[in-house]
Amino acid sequence: MSGGSTTNLAPIGEAFLGDVAAALRGADPDAFAAQVARPVLVELPSGGLEPGVGAYAFDAPPDAQRAGWEERLSRLRERLPAADVKVRFLHPREGPWVIGAAPGADVRLSPEDGVAPRHAELLLRGELWRVRDLEAGTWVEGKRLPPGIPLPIVGGHRLRVGGAELLFLSPAQLHALATPAASAPAPRPGLAPPPRGIELKAFADAASRLTPEAFERACPGPFLLQVPQVLVEGGDAAASGARTRSLTLEELLGLSRDRKARTAVVHGLGAADAVVVGRDAGVCHVVLPETAVSRRHAVLNRLRGQLVLMDLESQNGTWLEGKRLPAGVTTPVRSGQVVGFGTYRAVLLDAAAMHTLAERVASEPTQKLRR
């Protein structure tokens, strides 16, 4: 797969899981395993897999091991787009295989993740794979390895090298991870909001065609919906988020016929655990092209199932419930709350609320809201 090509499934170099999935369409599992003879390392994006999910010990019973890695692969398929998952293939030579940031490393990782030039190495002894820390800090299943001592690692185990998270998979496990991605239906065009967002009416017309369950699978949310001025309490616009308040679903549904509300912009936060909000399209997941919004204004994180908001030392502040948030401090947020990024205000909506609003907006004719 050198150079990103997966046409022949040559087990060299690296590729994205989506490319592997495309090459697997109609492929025989045994033929795939024969070509990809070595285990692979799947690089996990930040927050891609919670600690402890599917954890199991090296000497766990086979049934427990299988249940563990199946849970992990299932969670990965649910939460990560295949296009964002990078697969690292081991060269089919004799080991050891070096993991590090050096240009000549067999599995080359970024030094920005705290990876040393020669950080760790994989070794094959008979049919048993081992990993050895090269005095740089390496963990298997959350346990730090003693430097210089090769210890066992099996398919499905989580490997941490410095700050980089990897999943060690056998060829059969990679096939199991990639095959659902190959057979999954293509996402509906225009449904997932782009970084700069999409008008509520256009989004509603597409979303309303799906059942609530199908909508949540396609766009798991949550969402940021630009707050129409008619729902913001009195005061001049320069007051930023100081006059924002929580909005009920009934209030939002009442706007379904208002032209200004129907042109409000919807942003999807997607399944990532860290979503940066700001003005710079090069670094932000949610782009707000407003002069009062900083390049990197704030970040929304998922921590143990809870969505939290943190200001990134923005010039004009990040606001919640009428209060300016201190920079660098996480604050829990929930559906219905209005947040302010400088003078830009948006209401946070979960998938259920977003779909309900979309159905109403799509079904009602447009007329000027009378107040």
Side-chain angles (χ1 to χ4, degrees):
M1 295 189 179
S2 179
S5 173
T6 61
T7 304
N8 298 315
L9 292 176
I12 300 175
E14 63 185 50
F16 286 104
L17 182 62
D19 295 329
V20 178
L24 275 179
R25 296 184 190 279
D28 178 74
D30 293 334
F32 174 80
Q35 285 187 285
V36 186
R38 307 286 191 194
V40 301
L41 291 169
V42 175
E43 188 174 351
L44 302 179
S46 176
L49 193 65
E50 303 94 329
V53 171
Y56 57 95
F58 168 75
D59 56 354
D63 288 347
Q65 290 192 22
R66 184 174 184 86
W69 67 256
E70 284 183 342
E71 180 187 1
R72 287 191 164 171
L73 300 191
S74 175
R75 188 67 61 91
L76 276 176
R77 286 193 294 265
E78 290 174 0
R79 299 195 58 188
L80 297 178
D84 294 340
V85 180
K86 187 173 287 187
V87 181
R88 311 281 188 149
F89 294 82
L90 300 181
H91 196 285
R93 60 167 175 77
E94 293 299 319
W97 294 264
V98 175
I99 304 172
D106 297 285
V107 177
R108 189 180 179 188
L109 303 175
S110 172
E112 295 180 358
D113 290 327
V115 179
R118 290 175 55 88
H119 200 111
E121 59 185 14
L122 291 166
L123 307 99
L124 180 60
R125 296 291 183 265
E127 296 183 356
L128 182 64
W129 284 89
R130 296 178 181 269
V131 59
R132 176 163 55 199
D133 175 64
L134 301 178
E135 300 185 359
T138 305
W139 290 257
V140 173
E141 289 301 303
K143 295 182 179 180
R144 185 163 185 166
L145 304 181
I149 301 176
L151 292 178
I153 186 170
V154 297
H157 270 174
R158 186 173 184 152
L159 174 66
R160 181 157 73 89
V161 179
E165 296 280 354
L166 305 162
L167 206 57
F168 183 81
L169 297 182
S170 69
Q173 289 169 333
L174 175 62
H175 188 277
L177 178 62
T179 301
S183 59
R188 292 172 179 262
L191 186 55
R196 291 183 180 272
I198 185 174
E199 284 193 359
L200 174 59
K201 180 61 169 68
F203 182 70
D205 287 344
S208 63
R209 299 188 182 100
L210 301 180
T211 65
E213 294 77 14
F215 173 76
E216 189 164 358
R217 287 195 298 271
C219 290
F223 301 86
L224 285 172
L225 171 63
Q226 183 182 13
V227 176
Q229 187 64 29
V230 294
L231 278 187
V232 179
E233 292 180 338
D236 62 273
S240 185
R243 292 185 174 87
T244 60
R245 58 183 173 85
S246 293
L247 297 175
T248 66
L249 184 57
E250 287 72 22
E251 287 178 298
L252 289 169
L253 292 178
L255 285 179
S256 58
R257 297 187 180 188
D258 184 75
R259 288 191 183 91
K260 291 183 179 179
R262 291 157 71 93
T263 58
V265 177
V266 178
H267 291 90
L269 303 188
D273 274 5
V275 178
V276 178
V277 180
R279 196 178 68 248
D280 191 339
V283 297
C284 295
H285 303 86
V286 171
V287 180
L288 306 178
E290 302 270 338
T291 57
V293 176
S294 298
R295 288 184 61 254
R296 296 176 71 255
H297 197 105
V299 61
L300 286 152
N301 287 291
R302 290 181 176 87
L303 298 177
R304 295 179 292 277
Q306 169 69 58
L307 193 66
V308 297
L309 174 66
M310 183 175 69
D311 179 74
L312 298 177
E313 300 183 352
S314 64
Q315 182 176 352
N316 295 311
T318 301
W319 302 77
L320 177 68
E321 296 287 273
K323 296 180 181 179
R324 184 166 181 165
L325 302 181
V329 178
T330 58
T331 302
V333 290
R334 66 180 186 276
S335 183
Q337 288 187 311
V338 176
V339 296
F341 305 100
T343 57
Y344 188 97
R345 284 165 292 226
V347 58
L348 186 72
L349 295 177
D350 59 26
M354 187 72 250
H355 188 263
T356 300
L357 178 61
E359 286 186 316
R360 178 70 67 86
V361 169
S363 65
E364 292 191 354
T366 302
Q367 67 180 38
K368 181 64 179 176
L369 180 70
R370 296 180 180 178
R371 294 183 54 80

